[in-house]
Amino acid sequence: YRLGTALADVFNDVRGVRASVVEGKDNRNSLQRMLAGDAELAVAFSDSEGDGEVRTLVPLYELYLYIIVWEDAAIPDVPALKGRKVGAGPAGSGTDSVARRLLGHYGFDSGGVQVVNDSHRTISKAFLKRELDAVFLLGSIESKAVSRMLRAPGTKLLSLDDPERVAPVMDGIVSKHPFVVSHIIPKHLFGAKPANPTGVIGVHALLVARSELSDERARDLTRSVFAHKVQL
C-alpha cells in the first residue's frame, strides 16, 4: 500500500493521468481486482494467477522466501521438513503461495509437511515458543521481520543448497517455475547470521496493467517509474 501510494504520487505528475490507490480488503490478489475492473494498474507478484490478459510494465523489486529453523532441530535441508510443523503466514498470502510451490517441488504438495496458516505475528510467536519446527517468511533483502527472528538465540536460515555447487537446487526450481528468481543471501547480512552464503528463491513484484492500456500511456508510466527510482 505504501508503494502504491508513492507510485500514485509519481503518476500524478504525468500529463493526463490522475492516479489514486484502491486498497485491498478481503481479496489479497491485486491482479484479480484489476482484471475485475476495479483498477487499471496493479502491483502483483510474478507467480500470481488470474484469468485474463495483462501486460507487464516494469519489475519493481524482489522478495525472497526465507526459511528459519532451530539449529538443534536436525533440519539440514527442505526434505528434512517431512513430518514437521511449519508456519507459512496467512492462507493465500505471498508467503503461503511461494512456500507451497517450494514444498511441491519436493513432492510435499499432497502432504508430508504440516503447513500452519495464520497471521505472520501469530506464526512468529508460535515459532519462538518452539511450537513450530520452521517458519517461512517472504521478505526483502534486509527484512526487519527476518532480522527479528534471527536475533533469537538458536535460530538460523536454512539454505536450499550450497550456492557454490554446480547446478544447485535453486536452478532446478527456476527451470520448473520460470517466474521464480534464484538468489544468494550474503554471509552475515543479519549481523552474525547467516554463517554462510544462503541459497533462496523468490518472486518479482511487478507493475502490471490491463492489456488495453495504450502503448503511449504504458511508456509514460514506465518512464516515470525510472525517473523517480531513488524517490520510490
Side-chain angles (χ1 to χ4, degrees):
Y1 180 78
R2 289 177 60 200
L3 177 61
T5 301
L7 285 168
D9 290 340
V10 165
F11 294 153
N12 278 323
D13 290 336
V14 177
R15 174 178 287 187
V17 172
R18 290 294 176 267
S20 59
V21 179
V22 178
E23 184 176 4
K25 292 183 172 61
D26 294 333
N27 189 345
R28 299 179 184 277
N29 193 328
S30 58
L31 179 65
Q32 295 284 15
R33 292 206 63 178
M34 185 187 74
L35 290 172
D38 295 336
E40 283 71 47
L41 304 171
V43 176
F45 292 145
S46 53
D47 68 335
S48 299
E49 297 180 358
D51 184 14
E53 294 185 4
V54 301
R55 62 189 308 177
T56 300
L57 298 186
V58 60
L60 296 172
Y61 57 93
E62 292 180 357
L63 291 173
Y64 307 112
L65 185 67
Y66 297 91
I67 310 174
I68 304 172
V69 298
W70 295 101
E71 293 177 347
D72 60 3
I75 303 177
D77 50 28
V78 174
L81 291 174
K82 183 176 183 179
R84 307 277 189 155
K85 195 174 181 181
V86 303
S93 65
T95 298
D96 183 50
S97 174
V98 181
R100 290 183 185 276
R101 292 186 189 279
L102 175 64
L103 293 174
H105 179 78
Y106 286 93
F108 291 142
D109 47 355
S110 59
V113 174
Q114 185 179 348
V115 178
V116 177
N117 292 118
D118 210 324
S119 70
H120 290 293
R121 181 184 296 273
T122 300
I123 290 291
S124 297
K125 287 182 177 179
F127 175 75
L128 294 175
K129 291 179 181 178
R130 306 212 57 157
E131 296 171 356
L132 299 173
D133 299 297
V135 61
F136 290 100
L137 282 172
L138 190 68
S140 61
I141 188 61
E142 293 183 327
S143 168
K144 293 180 180 179
V146 173
S147 180
R148 285 194 298 269
M149 298 288 280
L150 291 178
R151 282 199 295 267
T155 59
K156 72 170 186 177
L157 274 182
L158 183 66
S159 184
L160 296 182
D161 204 345
D162 179 357
E164 298 297 324
R165 182 175 298 173
V166 175
V169 166
M170 294 83 75
D171 291 353
I173 298 173
V174 172
S175 68
K176 184 177 180 181
H177 301 296
F179 46 77
V180 168
V181 297
S182 173
H183 189 73
I184 299 174
I185 302 300
K187 180 179 180 180
H188 295 172
L189 178 65
F190 301 98
K193 300 175 183 179
N196 298 293
T198 300
V200 297
I201 60 168
V203 291
H204 274 115
L206 307 170
L207 178 64
V208 300
R210 294 211 298 261
S211 58
E212 59 265 28
L213 184 73
S214 71
D215 289 346
E216 180 181 4
R217 182 63 75 214
R219 282 194 297 270
D220 290 343
L221 295 175
T222 302
R223 185 182 296 114
S224 182
V225 171
F226 281 98
H228 297 83
K229 183 176 179 180
V230 174
Q231 172 188 339
L232 290 170

